[in-house]
């Protein structure tokens, strides 16, 4: 969202009086370093000017770059990534569940109010966004930007699975509310163990089926390798001379120039001298570190934002014989006090052409904002403008803190026990623990002035559109094309409204600007088209959507 801003050069409103580089002794890896007036970084002169700088080599920046290449092929772009390759942080296939989030299985997207009413508003909105993703990916395949759809997306049914009378009743009412929506056509509901076994045998084998159980099943969704998507986008961008990729380079400063452009100060991670490039527009898609860089920009829109880091880990089984018996992503209900990103699920993954099973996530806690960041990231994000909301969240979210402590103290035996609630016959020795990505949830000031912890994503854009940052996590990469179209509209409103941009956008995303849930015939047509282009037909032995 936009707010009025004072974009005068050198403004650093609300920052503490000590720079992050001073705070961290110059050894901070994986986060931005504040550049206060008079610091050494301010003396670095830019040696070139580009149209767009993309900070972060993940799926968000790569998606924005791919969109801009279609809209403005002549623009110069430069991408900065602190690691030695793109797609290695949160976009890495092993650092997320690869879920094509469309609310078909995620119970937290359909909250229940005190009167027992199931609110499907958010579920419909997220599903609409995922349809934009399917259309964009399909167009990128057709245009040769993406190669071999099976390398990055695979048809994978999405399920919800619960037990106990109360949760079975909730799932039944959730299903009844969703199937009234055209986007959720064909979702099945069952309390029959035999039928559920046909959908996902591992959920049933070894289970006491005298207890109430229920599941929903939809064959309209996917498993996505966001790391591979990122690599293919960037490879296409690199095929043009007006794109430069700067690997092993960390952005350390952002300064507003007198002409309204931005000086982006960066340093190679090998310790070489700092350099700078001027950019007419900047997008900060640096994952957890985005909040630090947003603060570094000192735009008023950064306001009272703070960040709460939450990590995760997964149990992984690479036994191909077992993976071949299970094709689904089955989501359950989150434990009391758990953040939405910790909803347990048993997933099929397809990574580098091989199937595996994944269960989790198990929440972890670190003060890092990136997997390879600094433990001082959280402390360095504290400013006079956000310290109040951050303290409020610390006091109000004590239950979350207790939950995280309990998760951190879990043993491998505890994790296997949690797994067996979904896969009763799981063999402990076949499962290994892998660290997932680090996420930074948004802390913002609510209407009462207190801090509020949010578990979605937030696009923050300067009033003049010259700089934007994406904060937060889920649903993240699944809806990247929709989020980046919003970013383009706010960053380049005049160009976005031109007939040329509008025609190209509707050519690559035919459903853009249309609520497909209110246009069922168009939805079915586009679903059929993207299914064919992305090769998302289900194997014959699986049930087909009704």
């Amino acid at each position: 969202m936009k707010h009025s801003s004072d974009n005068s050069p050198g403004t650093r409103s609300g920052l503490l009086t000590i720079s992050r580089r001073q705070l961290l002794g110059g050894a901070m890896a994986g986060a931005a370093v504040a550049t206060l007036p008079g610091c050494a970084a301010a003396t670095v002169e830019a040696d070139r000017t580009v149209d767009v700088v993309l900070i972060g080599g993940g799926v968000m920046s790569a998606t924005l770059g791919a969109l801009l290449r279609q809209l403005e092929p002549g623009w110069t772009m430069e991408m900065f990534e602190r690691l030695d390759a793109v797609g290695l942080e949160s976009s890495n296939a092993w650092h997320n569940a690869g879920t094509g989030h469309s609310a078909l299985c995620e119970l937290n997207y359909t909250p229940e109010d005190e009167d027992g009413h199931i609110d499907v508003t958010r579920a419909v909105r997220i599903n609409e966004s995922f349809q934009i993703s399917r259309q964009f990916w399909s167009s990128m395949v057709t245009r040769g930007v993406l190669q071999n759809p099976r390398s990055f997306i695979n048809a994978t049914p999405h399920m919800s699975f619960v037990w106990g009378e109360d949760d079975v009743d909730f799932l039944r009412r959730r299903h009844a509310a969703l199937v009234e929506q055209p986007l959720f056509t064909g979702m099945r509901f069952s309390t029959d163990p035999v039928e559920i076994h046909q959908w996902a045998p591992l959920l049933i084998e070894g289970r006491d089926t005298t207890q109430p159980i229920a599941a929903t099943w939809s064959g309209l969704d996917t498993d996505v390798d966001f790391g591979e998507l990122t690599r293919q986008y960037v490879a296409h961008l690199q095929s043009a001379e007006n794109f430069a990729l700067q690997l092993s380079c960390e952005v350390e400063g952002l300064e507003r120039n007198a002409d309204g452009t931005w000086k982006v100060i960066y340093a190679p991670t090998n310790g070489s001298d700092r350099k700078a490039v001027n950019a007419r527009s900047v997008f900060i898609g640096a994952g957890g570190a985005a909040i630090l860089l947003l603060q570094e920009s000192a735009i008023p829109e950064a306001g009272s934002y703070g960040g709460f880091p939450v990590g995760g880990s997964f149990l992984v089984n690479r036994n191909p014989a077992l993976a071949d018996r299970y094709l689904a992503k089955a989501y359950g209900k989150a434990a009391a006090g758990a953040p939405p990103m910790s909803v347990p699920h048993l997933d099929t993954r397809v990574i580098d052409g091989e199937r595996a099973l994944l269960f989790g996530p198990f929440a972890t806690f670190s003060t890092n904002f990136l997997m390879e960041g600094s433990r001082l990231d959280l402390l360095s994000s504290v400013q006079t403008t956000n310290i109040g909301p951050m303290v409020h969240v610390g006091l109000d979210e004590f239950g979350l803190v207790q939950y995280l402590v309990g998760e951190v103290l879990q043993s491998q035996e505890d994790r296997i026990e949690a797994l067996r609630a979904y896969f009763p016959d799981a063999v402990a020795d076949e499962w290994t623990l892998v660290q997932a990505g680090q996420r930074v949830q948004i802390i913002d000031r609510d209407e009462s002035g207190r801090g509020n912890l949010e578990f979605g994503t937030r696009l923050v854009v300067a009033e003049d559109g010259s700089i934007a940052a994406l904060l937060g996590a889920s649903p993240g990469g699944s809806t990247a094309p929709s989020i980046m179209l919003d970013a383009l509209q706010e960053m380049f409103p005049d160009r976005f409204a031109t007939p040329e941009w509008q025609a190209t956008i509707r050519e690559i995303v035919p459903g853009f600007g249309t609520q497909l849930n209110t246009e069922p015939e168009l939805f079915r047509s586009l679903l059929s088209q993207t299914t064919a282009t992305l090769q998302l037909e289900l194997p014959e032995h699986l049930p087909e959507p009704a």
Side-chain angles (χ1 to χ4, degrees), residues 133-162:
S133 297
R134 287 179 61 128
Q135 293 163 49
F136 181 67
W137 297 334
S138 177
S139 292
M140 293 303 96
V141 169
T142 301
R143 293 182 173 219
V145 176
L146 297 174
Q147 310 295 321
N148 181 16
R150 289 290 180 89
S151 68
F152 65 87
I153 190 168
N154 287 272
T156 306
H158 282 200
M159 298 178 62
S160 301
F161 181 68
V162 299

PDB file of all heavy atoms in Angstrom, residues 133-162:
ATOM      1  N   SER A 133      -1.255 -17.757 -11.637  1.00  0.00           N
ATOM      2  CA  SER A 133       0.043 -18.431 -11.734  1.00  0.00           C
ATOM      3  C   SER A 133       0.020 -19.483 -12.837  1.00  0.00           C
ATOM      4  O   SER A 133       0.946 -19.564 -13.660  1.00  0.00           O
ATOM      5  CB  SER A 133       0.413 -19.074 -10.394  1.00  0.00           C
ATOM      6  OG  SER A 133       0.563 -18.109  -9.382  1.00  0.00           O
ATOM      7  N   ARG A 134      -0.997 -20.312 -12.846  1.00  0.00           N
ATOM      8  CA  ARG A 134      -1.091 -21.352 -13.875  1.00  0.00           C
ATOM      9  C   ARG A 134      -1.083 -20.750 -15.270  1.00  0.00           C
ATOM     10  O   ARG A 134      -0.397 -21.243 -16.182  1.00  0.00           O
ATOM     11  CB  ARG A 134      -2.361 -22.195 -13.670  1.00  0.00           C
ATOM     12  CG  ARG A 134      -2.300 -23.141 -12.489  1.00  0.00           C
ATOM     13  CD  ARG A 134      -3.604 -23.917 -12.346  1.00  0.00           C
ATOM     14  NE  ARG A 134      -3.897 -24.742 -13.516  1.00  0.00           N
ATOM     15  CZ  ARG A 134      -4.181 -26.048 -13.451  1.00  0.00           C
ATOM     16  NH1 ARG A 134      -4.176 -26.679 -12.286  1.00  0.00           N
ATOM     17  NH2 ARG A 134      -4.468 -26.728 -14.546  1.00  0.00           N
ATOM     18  N   GLN A 135      -1.841 -19.679 -15.449  1.00  0.00           N
ATOM     19  CA  GLN A 135      -1.905 -19.050 -16.772  1.00  0.00           C
ATOM     20  C   GLN A 135      -0.557 -18.450 -17.166  1.00  0.00           C
ATOM     21  O   GLN A 135      -0.118 -18.564 -18.315  1.00  0.00           O
ATOM     22  CB  GLN A 135      -2.980 -17.971 -16.780  1.00  0.00           C
ATOM     23  CG  GLN A 135      -4.390 -18.494 -16.625  1.00  0.00           C
ATOM     24  CD  GLN A 135      -5.369 -17.398 -16.239  1.00  0.00           C
ATOM     25  OE1 GLN A 135      -5.392 -16.337 -16.854  1.00  0.00           O
ATOM     26  NE2 GLN A 135      -6.187 -17.648 -15.222  1.00  0.00           N
ATOM     27  N   PHE A 136       0.116 -17.801 -16.215  1.00  0.00           N
ATOM     28  CA  PHE A 136       1.409 -17.204 -16.514  1.00  0.00           C
ATOM     29  C   PHE A 136       2.448 -18.272 -16.848  1.00  0.00           C
ATOM     30  O   PHE A 136       3.177 -18.164 -17.836  1.00  0.00           O
ATOM     31  CB  PHE A 136       1.868 -16.357 -15.332  1.00  0.00           C
ATOM     32  CG  PHE A 136       3.196 -15.675 -15.558  1.00  0.00           C
ATOM     33  CD1 PHE A 136       3.321 -14.674 -16.502  1.00  0.00           C
ATOM     34  CD2 PHE A 136       4.320 -16.052 -14.844  1.00  0.00           C
ATOM     35  CE1 PHE A 136       4.544 -14.049 -16.723  1.00  0.00           C
ATOM     36  CE2 PHE A 136       5.543 -15.443 -15.060  1.00  0.00           C
ATOM     37  CZ  PHE A 136       5.655 -14.434 -16.003  1.00  0.00           C
ATOM     38  N   TRP A 137       2.513 -19.323 -16.023  1.00  0.00           N
ATOM     39  CA  TRP A 137       3.475 -20.396 -16.289  1.00  0.00           C
ATOM     40  C   TRP A 137       3.183 -21.046 -17.641  1.00  0.00           C
ATOM     41  O   TRP A 137       4.108 -21.384 -18.388  1.00  0.00           O
ATOM     42  CB  TRP A 137       3.427 -21.436 -15.178  1.00  0.00           C
ATOM     43  CG  TRP A 137       3.835 -20.898 -13.837  1.00  0.00           C
ATOM     44  CD1 TRP A 137       4.671 -19.838 -13.592  1.00  0.00           C
ATOM     45  CD2 TRP A 137       3.430 -21.383 -12.554  1.00  0.00           C
ATOM     46  NE1 TRP A 137       4.807 -19.637 -12.241  1.00  0.00           N
ATOM     47  CE2 TRP A 137       4.062 -20.565 -11.580  1.00  0.00           C
ATOM     48  CE3 TRP A 137       2.603 -22.412 -12.121  1.00  0.00           C
ATOM     49  CZ2 TRP A 137       3.877 -20.762 -10.203  1.00  0.00           C
ATOM     50  CZ3 TRP A 137       2.420 -22.619 -10.758  1.00  0.00           C
ATOM     51  CH2 TRP A 137       3.063 -21.792  -9.811  1.00  0.00           C
ATOM     52  N   SER A 138       1.905 -21.223 -17.948  1.00  0.00           N
ATOM     53  CA  SER A 138       1.529 -21.816 -19.234  1.00  0.00           C
ATOM     54  C   SER A 138       2.013 -20.942 -20.385  1.00  0.00           C
ATOM     55  O   SER A 138       2.584 -21.447 -21.370  1.00  0.00           O
ATOM     56  CB  SER A 138       0.005 -21.983 -19.302  1.00  0.00           C
ATOM     57  OG  SER A 138      -0.402 -22.499 -20.557  1.00  0.00           O
ATOM     58  N   SER A 139       1.836 -19.632 -20.279  1.00  0.00           N
ATOM     59  CA  SER A 139       2.287 -18.725 -21.328  1.00  0.00           C
ATOM     60  C   SER A 139       3.803 -18.720 -21.445  1.00  0.00           C
ATOM     61  O   SER A 139       4.361 -18.644 -22.550  1.00  0.00           O
ATOM     62  CB  SER A 139       1.794 -17.303 -21.058  1.00  0.00           C
ATOM     63  OG  SER A 139       0.396 -17.212 -21.181  1.00  0.00           O
ATOM     64  N   MET A 140       4.489 -18.809 -20.301  1.00  0.00           N
ATOM     65  CA  MET A 140       5.947 -18.824 -20.352  1.00  0.00           C
ATOM     66  C   MET A 140       6.469 -20.102 -21.015  1.00  0.00           C
ATOM     67  O   MET A 140       7.506 -20.086 -21.677  1.00  0.00           O
ATOM     68  CB  MET A 140       6.520 -18.680 -18.942  1.00  0.00           C
ATOM     69  CG  MET A 140       6.267 -17.315 -18.294  1.00  0.00           C
ATOM     70  SD  MET A 140       6.902 -15.887 -19.231  1.00  0.00           S
ATOM     71  CE  MET A 140       5.415 -15.360 -20.139  1.00  0.00           C
ATOM     72  N   VAL A 141       5.755 -21.204 -20.859  1.00  0.00           N
ATOM     73  CA  VAL A 141       6.116 -22.430 -21.578  1.00  0.00           C
ATOM     74  C   VAL A 141       5.912 -22.223 -23.073  1.00  0.00           C
ATOM     75  O   VAL A 141       6.777 -22.550 -23.900  1.00  0.00           O
ATOM     76  CB  VAL A 141       5.287 -23.623 -21.061  1.00  0.00           C
ATOM     77  CG1 VAL A 141       5.467 -24.840 -21.975  1.00  0.00           C
ATOM     78  CG2 VAL A 141       5.690 -23.978 -19.636  1.00  0.00           C
ATOM     79  N   THR A 142       4.762 -21.672 -23.444  1.00  0.00           N
ATOM     80  CA  THR A 142       4.453 -21.440 -24.855  1.00  0.00           C
ATOM     81  C   THR A 142       5.468 -20.509 -25.495  1.00  0.00           C
ATOM     82  O   THR A 142       5.855 -20.700 -26.664  1.00  0.00           O
ATOM     83  CB  THR A 142       3.040 -20.853 -24.997  1.00  0.00           C
ATOM     84  OG1 THR A 142       2.086 -21.751 -24.423  1.00  0.00           O
ATOM     85  CG2 THR A 142       2.688 -20.626 -26.451  1.00  0.00           C
ATOM     86  N   ARG A 143       5.953 -19.521 -24.751  1.00  0.00           N
ATOM     87  CA  ARG A 143       6.892 -18.536 -25.290  1.00  0.00           C
ATOM     88  C   ARG A 143       8.351 -18.973 -25.180  1.00  0.00           C
ATOM     89  O   ARG A 143       9.240 -18.233 -25.580  1.00  0.00           O
ATOM     90  CB  ARG A 143       6.696 -17.199 -24.570  1.00  0.00           C
ATOM     91  CG  ARG A 143       5.352 -16.544 -24.863  1.00  0.00           C
ATOM     92  CD  ARG A 143       5.198 -15.205 -24.191  1.00  0.00           C
ATOM     93  NE  ARG A 143       3.974 -14.547 -24.617  1.00  0.00           N
ATOM     94  CZ  ARG A 143       3.846 -13.239 -24.862  1.00  0.00           C
ATOM     95  NH1 ARG A 143       4.908 -12.444 -24.701  1.00  0.00           N
ATOM     96  NH2 ARG A 143       2.703 -12.717 -25.260  1.00  0.00           N
ATOM     97  N   GLY A 144       8.586 -20.141 -24.615  1.00  0.00           N
ATOM     98  CA  GLY A 144       9.940 -20.654 -24.535  1.00  0.00           C
ATOM     99  C   GLY A 144      10.752 -20.134 -23.373  1.00  0.00           C
ATOM    100  O   GLY A 144      11.953 -20.422 -23.267  1.00  0.00           O
ATOM    101  N   VAL A 145      10.116 -19.382 -22.463  1.00  0.00           N
ATOM    102  CA  VAL A 145      10.819 -18.904 -21.270  1.00  0.00           C
ATOM    103  C   VAL A 145      11.073 -20.059 -20.317  1.00  0.00           C
ATOM    104  O   VAL A 145      12.162 -20.180 -19.733  1.00  0.00           O
ATOM    105  CB  VAL A 145      10.006 -17.784 -20.572  1.00  0.00           C
ATOM    106  CG1 VAL A 145      10.682 -17.353 -19.269  1.00  0.00           C
ATOM    107  CG2 VAL A 145       9.834 -16.603 -21.506  1.00  0.00           C
ATOM    108  N   LEU A 146      10.061 -20.915 -20.140  1.00  0.00           N
ATOM    109  CA  LEU A 146      10.170 -22.100 -19.296  1.00  0.00           C
ATOM    110  C   LEU A 146      10.234 -23.338 -20.178  1.00  0.00           C
ATOM    111  O   LEU A 146       9.564 -23.407 -21.219  1.00  0.00           O
ATOM    112  CB  LEU A 146       8.976 -22.191 -18.351  1.00  0.00           C
ATOM    113  CG  LEU A 146       8.827 -21.058 -17.329  1.00  0.00           C
ATOM    114  CD1 LEU A 146       7.518 -21.208 -16.545  1.00  0.00           C
ATOM    115  CD2 LEU A 146      10.018 -21.019 -16.371  1.00  0.00           C
ATOM    116  N   GLN A 147      11.026 -24.317 -19.744  1.00  0.00           N
ATOM    117  CA  GLN A 147      11.232 -25.533 -20.515  1.00  0.00           C
ATOM    118  C   GLN A 147      10.704 -26.734 -19.728  1.00  0.00           C
ATOM    119  O   GLN A 147      10.845 -26.788 -18.516  1.00  0.00           O
ATOM    120  CB  GLN A 147      12.723 -25.738 -20.787  1.00  0.00           C
ATOM    121  CG  GLN A 147      13.438 -24.527 -21.361  1.00  0.00           C
ATOM    122  CD  GLN A 147      12.942 -24.151 -22.743  1.00  0.00           C
ATOM    123  OE1 GLN A 147      12.663 -25.024 -23.562  1.00  0.00           O
ATOM    124  NE2 GLN A 147      12.840 -22.848 -23.011  1.00  0.00           N
ATOM    125  N   ASN A 148      10.100 -27.680 -20.430  1.00  0.00           N
ATOM    126  CA  ASN A 148       9.696 -28.956 -19.842  1.00  0.00           C
ATOM    127  C   ASN A 148       8.910 -28.752 -18.547  1.00  0.00           C
ATOM    128  O   ASN A 148       9.481 -28.763 -17.449  1.00  0.00           O
ATOM    129  CB  ASN A 148      10.908 -29.852 -19.565  1.00  0.00           C
ATOM    130  CG  ASN A 148      10.509 -31.187 -18.966  1.00  0.00           C
ATOM    131  OD1 ASN A 148       9.339 -31.584 -19.027  1.00  0.00           O
ATOM    132  ND2 ASN A 148      11.469 -31.873 -18.365  1.00  0.00           N
ATOM    133  N   PRO A 149       7.608 -28.580 -18.644  1.00  0.00           N
ATOM    134  CA  PRO A 149       6.793 -28.317 -17.438  1.00  0.00           C
ATOM    135  C   PRO A 149       7.016 -29.320 -16.318  1.00  0.00           C
ATOM    136  O   PRO A 149       6.985 -28.951 -15.138  1.00  0.00           O
ATOM    137  CB  PRO A 149       5.354 -28.388 -17.965  1.00  0.00           C
ATOM    138  CG  PRO A 149       5.472 -28.059 -19.414  1.00  0.00           C
ATOM    139  CD  PRO A 149       6.788 -28.609 -19.869  1.00  0.00           C
ATOM    140  N   ARG A 150       7.264 -30.578 -16.659  1.00  0.00           N
ATOM    141  CA  ARG A 150       7.436 -31.596 -15.622  1.00  0.00           C
ATOM    142  C   ARG A 150       8.674 -31.335 -14.757  1.00  0.00           C
ATOM    143  O   ARG A 150       8.813 -31.916 -13.690  1.00  0.00           O
ATOM    144  CB  ARG A 150       7.541 -32.986 -16.256  1.00  0.00           C
ATOM    145  CG  ARG A 150       6.212 -33.493 -16.835  1.00  0.00           C
ATOM    146  CD  ARG A 150       5.220 -33.809 -15.717  1.00  0.00           C
ATOM    147  NE  ARG A 150       3.958 -34.285 -16.227  1.00  0.00           N
ATOM    148  CZ  ARG A 150       3.682 -35.558 -16.472  1.00  0.00           C
ATOM    149  NH1 ARG A 150       4.607 -36.475 -16.258  1.00  0.00           N
ATOM    150  NH2 ARG A 150       2.504 -35.907 -16.924  1.00  0.00           N
ATOM    151  N   SER A 151       9.576 -30.466 -15.221  1.00  0.00           N
ATOM    152  CA  SER A 151      10.762 -30.166 -14.428  1.00  0.00           C
ATOM    153  C   SER A 151      10.451 -29.239 -13.259  1.00  0.00           C
ATOM    154  O   SER A 151      11.229 -29.154 -12.308  1.00  0.00           O
ATOM    155  CB  SER A 151      11.844 -29.518 -15.303  1.00  0.00           C
ATOM    156  OG  SER A 151      11.449 -28.221 -15.738  1.00  0.00           O
ATOM    157  N   PHE A 152       9.306 -28.529 -13.320  1.00  0.00           N
ATOM    158  CA  PHE A 152       8.989 -27.586 -12.243  1.00  0.00           C
ATOM    159  C   PHE A 152       7.579 -27.705 -11.697  1.00  0.00           C
ATOM    160  O   PHE A 152       7.279 -27.142 -10.644  1.00  0.00           O
ATOM    161  CB  PHE A 152       9.243 -26.144 -12.689  1.00  0.00           C
ATOM    162  CG  PHE A 152       8.348 -25.662 -13.816  1.00  0.00           C
ATOM    163  CD1 PHE A 152       7.102 -25.103 -13.544  1.00  0.00           C
ATOM    164  CD2 PHE A 152       8.760 -25.746 -15.132  1.00  0.00           C
ATOM    165  CE1 PHE A 152       6.281 -24.662 -14.573  1.00  0.00           C
ATOM    166  CE2 PHE A 152       7.955 -25.304 -16.164  1.00  0.00           C
ATOM    167  CZ  PHE A 152       6.713 -24.760 -15.886  1.00  0.00           C
ATOM    168  N   ILE A 153       6.687 -28.432 -12.370  1.00  0.00           N
ATOM    169  CA  ILE A 153       5.320 -28.561 -11.861  1.00  0.00           C
ATOM    170  C   ILE A 153       4.771 -29.934 -12.214  1.00  0.00           C
ATOM    171  O   ILE A 153       5.005 -30.441 -13.315  1.00  0.00           O
ATOM    172  CB  ILE A 153       4.406 -27.438 -12.424  1.00  0.00           C
ATOM    173  CG1 ILE A 153       3.048 -27.429 -11.712  1.00  0.00           C
ATOM    174  CG2 ILE A 153       4.235 -27.555 -13.938  1.00  0.00           C
ATOM    175  CD1 ILE A 153       2.215 -26.185 -12.008  1.00  0.00           C
ATOM    176  N   ASN A 154       4.090 -30.553 -11.256  1.00  0.00           N
ATOM    177  CA  ASN A 154       3.529 -31.883 -11.458  1.00  0.00           C
ATOM    178  C   ASN A 154       2.157 -31.987 -10.805  1.00  0.00           C
ATOM    179  O   ASN A 154       1.951 -31.468  -9.697  1.00  0.00           O
ATOM    180  CB  ASN A 154       4.455 -32.953 -10.872  1.00  0.00           C
ATOM    181  CG  ASN A 154       5.702 -33.162 -11.707  1.00  0.00           C
ATOM    182  OD1 ASN A 154       5.717 -33.958 -12.640  1.00  0.00           O
ATOM    183  ND2 ASN A 154       6.762 -32.420 -11.394  1.00  0.00           N
ATOM    184  N   ALA A 155       1.223 -32.624 -11.493  1.00  0.00           N
ATOM    185  CA  ALA A 155      -0.115 -32.815 -10.942  1.00  0.00           C
ATOM    186  C   ALA A 155      -0.039 -33.617  -9.653  1.00  0.00           C
ATOM    187  O   ALA A 155       0.550 -34.697  -9.625  1.00  0.00           O
ATOM    188  CB  ALA A 155      -1.004 -33.531 -11.962  1.00  0.00           C
ATOM    189  N   THR A 156      -0.613 -33.083  -8.600  1.00  0.00           N
ATOM    190  CA  THR A 156      -0.598 -33.728  -7.287  1.00  0.00           C
ATOM    191  C   THR A 156      -1.896 -33.406  -6.569  1.00  0.00           C
ATOM    192  O   THR A 156      -2.151 -32.245  -6.243  1.00  0.00           O
ATOM    193  CB  THR A 156       0.591 -33.231  -6.444  1.00  0.00           C
ATOM    194  OG1 THR A 156       1.803 -33.394  -7.176  1.00  0.00           O
ATOM    195  CG2 THR A 156       0.682 -33.995  -5.138  1.00  0.00           C
ATOM    196  N   PRO A 157      -2.751 -34.381  -6.325  1.00  0.00           N
ATOM    197  CA  PRO A 157      -3.999 -34.103  -5.624  1.00  0.00           C
ATOM    198  C   PRO A 157      -3.753 -33.458  -4.258  1.00  0.00           C
ATOM    199  O   PRO A 157      -2.764 -33.776  -3.581  1.00  0.00           O
ATOM    200  CB  PRO A 157      -4.646 -35.487  -5.474  1.00  0.00           C
ATOM    201  CG  PRO A 157      -4.066 -36.285  -6.599  1.00  0.00           C
ATOM    202  CD  PRO A 157      -2.658 -35.790  -6.742  1.00  0.00           C
ATOM    203  N   HIS A 158      -4.660 -32.590  -3.873  1.00  0.00           N
ATOM    204  CA  HIS A 158      -4.604 -31.943  -2.567  1.00  0.00           C
ATOM    205  C   HIS A 158      -5.734 -32.466  -1.697  1.00  0.00           C
ATOM    206  O   HIS A 158      -6.881 -32.516  -2.127  1.00  0.00           O
ATOM    207  CB  HIS A 158      -4.708 -30.423  -2.715  1.00  0.00           C
ATOM    208  CG  HIS A 158      -3.425 -29.781  -3.163  1.00  0.00           C
ATOM    209  ND1 HIS A 158      -3.164 -28.442  -2.978  1.00  0.00           N
ATOM    210  CD2 HIS A 158      -2.335 -30.303  -3.774  1.00  0.00           C
ATOM    211  CE1 HIS A 158      -1.964 -28.157  -3.466  1.00  0.00           C
ATOM    212  NE2 HIS A 158      -1.453 -29.271  -3.954  1.00  0.00           N
ATOM    213  N   MET A 159      -5.363 -32.834  -0.461  1.00  0.00           N
ATOM    214  CA  MET A 159      -6.334 -33.403   0.468  1.00  0.00           C
ATOM    215  C   MET A 159      -6.298 -32.663   1.798  1.00  0.00           C
ATOM    216  O   MET A 159      -5.276 -32.103   2.189  1.00  0.00           O
ATOM    217  CB  MET A 159      -6.012 -34.880   0.725  1.00  0.00           C
ATOM    218  CG  MET A 159      -6.070 -35.767  -0.488  1.00  0.00           C
ATOM    219  SD  MET A 159      -5.626 -37.491  -0.083  1.00  0.00           S
ATOM    220  CE  MET A 159      -6.924 -37.919   1.096  1.00  0.00           C
ATOM    221  N   SER A 160      -7.416 -32.691   2.494  1.00  0.00           N
ATOM    222  CA  SER A 160      -7.466 -32.362   3.915  1.00  0.00           C
ATOM    223  C   SER A 160      -7.817 -33.649   4.638  1.00  0.00           C
ATOM    224  O   SER A 160      -8.651 -34.428   4.161  1.00  0.00           O
ATOM    225  CB  SER A 160      -8.521 -31.301   4.209  1.00  0.00           C
ATOM    226  OG  SER A 160      -8.267 -30.110   3.501  1.00  0.00           O
ATOM    227  N   PHE A 161      -7.183 -33.882   5.780  1.00  0.00           N
ATOM    228  CA  PHE A 161      -7.401 -35.143   6.500  1.00  0.00           C
ATOM    229  C   PHE A 161      -7.485 -34.848   7.989  1.00  0.00           C
ATOM    230  O   PHE A 161      -6.582 -34.218   8.558  1.00  0.00           O
ATOM    231  CB  PHE A 161      -6.270 -36.125   6.217  1.00  0.00           C
ATOM    232  CG  PHE A 161      -6.425 -37.448   6.908  1.00  0.00           C
ATOM    233  CD1 PHE A 161      -7.435 -38.318   6.542  1.00  0.00           C
ATOM    234  CD2 PHE A 161      -5.568 -37.815   7.935  1.00  0.00           C
ATOM    235  CE1 PHE A 161      -7.589 -39.545   7.188  1.00  0.00           C
ATOM    236  CE2 PHE A 161      -5.707 -39.036   8.586  1.00  0.00           C
ATOM    237  CZ  PHE A 161      -6.729 -39.905   8.205  1.00  0.00           C
ATOM    238  N   VAL A 162      -8.573 -35.285   8.633  1.00  0.00           N
ATOM    239  CA  VAL A 162      -8.784 -35.014  10.061  1.00  0.00           C
ATOM    240  C   VAL A 162      -9.380 -36.246  10.727  1.00  0.00           C
ATOM    241  O   VAL A 162      -9.855 -37.175  10.067  1.00  0.00           O
ATOM    242  CB  VAL A 162      -9.730 -33.811  10.273  1.00  0.00           C
ATOM    243  CG1 VAL A 162      -9.148 -32.539   9.669  1.00  0.00           C
ATOM    244  CG2 VAL A 162     -11.118 -34.090   9.696  1.00  0.00           C
TER     245      VAL A 162
END
